[in-house]
Amino acid sequence: MQANNRWFIAVTILLSLLLSVMPLPQEWLWFRPAFPALLVIFWITRMPQTFGVGFAWMIGIVQDLATGASLGTHALALSVLAYFSLLTYQRTRAFNPAQQLLWVFVLVGIHQVVGNWVHGLEGKSVPGLTFLWPALTTALLWPWVTPWLRGLSGRLHVR
């Protein structure tokens, strides 16, 4: 990766963290996409030799600090997500867009289950399956966000 183009990755991560704390009306909060999770999947699928579990852990720690969550909650969930993304990045690349959408739903769903489990240990778990709404909204964003990011990173020669 060229050092002068690392700013693009940092900007996308910063933007995802800002979107994760952007104020929303109360009734929309459950539908907020998991933007950092989406970017972890994208960057690991695009550049698995560069990004991995440690990358996801650092983003998760920053997200924990930004959102006021218990330290390590998002870090653990994003690390598990990164692990599964690394295991399946070659298959994910070969999937058609509909299969990718479903796989992103599964990956972000696992991310949400881990986060809800940690909240449950704190006594703050969400009853029912409401906690999976962000997995659905994130998966629905995948087909629009990835071509845009792929095009920009290609033009900027981010490798």
Side-chain angles (χ1 to χ4, degrees):
M1 181 183 324
Q2 297 176 356
N4 61 348
N5 292 332
R6 291 179 189 237
W7 63 268
F8 180 70
I9 296 167
V11 166
T12 61
I13 293 166
L14 179 63
L15 183 62
S16 76
L17 292 169
L18 289 173
L19 288 170
S20 69
V21 296
M22 178 181 72
L24 289 176
Q26 187 68 31
E27 56 274 359
W28 291 9
L29 286 176
W30 283 111
F31 301 101
R32 181 193 311 264
F35 292 107
L38 182 117
L39 280 176
V40 165
I41 296 168
F42 175 79
W43 287 118
I44 286 177
T45 302
R46 179 142 171 99
M47 300 177 358
Q49 71 284 0
T50 305
F51 300 113
V53 175
F55 164 74
W57 180 266
M58 288 187 300
I59 292 172
I61 289 291
V62 174
Q63 187 179 6
D64 288 333
L65 294 172
T67 62
S70 298
L71 197 59
T73 302
H74 290 102
L76 176 63
L78 285 176
S79 296
V80 170
L81 173 89
Y83 175 74
F84 286 116
S85 294
L86 281 168
L87 285 178
T88 60
Y89 78 90
Q90 290 176 331
R91 275 184 250 141
T92 305
R93 287 178 179 174
F95 287 160
N96 67 42
Q99 290 171 321
Q100 284 185 1
L101 185 143
L102 289 173
W103 186 238
V104 168
F105 175 74
V106 168
L107 288 174
V108 179
I110 292 169
H111 167 266
Q112 294 298 110
V113 166
V114 171
N116 194 48
W117 174 69
V118 172
H119 289 303
L121 293 175
E122 299 172 332
K124 300 184 247 176
S125 67
V126 177
L129 296 176
T130 313
F131 65 91
L132 287 177
W133 280 113
L136 178 63
T137 57
T138 303
L140 291 174
L141 277 178
W142 179 262
W144 286 281
V145 172
T146 54
W148 180 73
L149 284 172
R150 195 177 300 119
L152 278 175
S153 63
R155 270 185 255 136
L156 295 171
H157 303 291
V158 177
R159 296 183 207 271

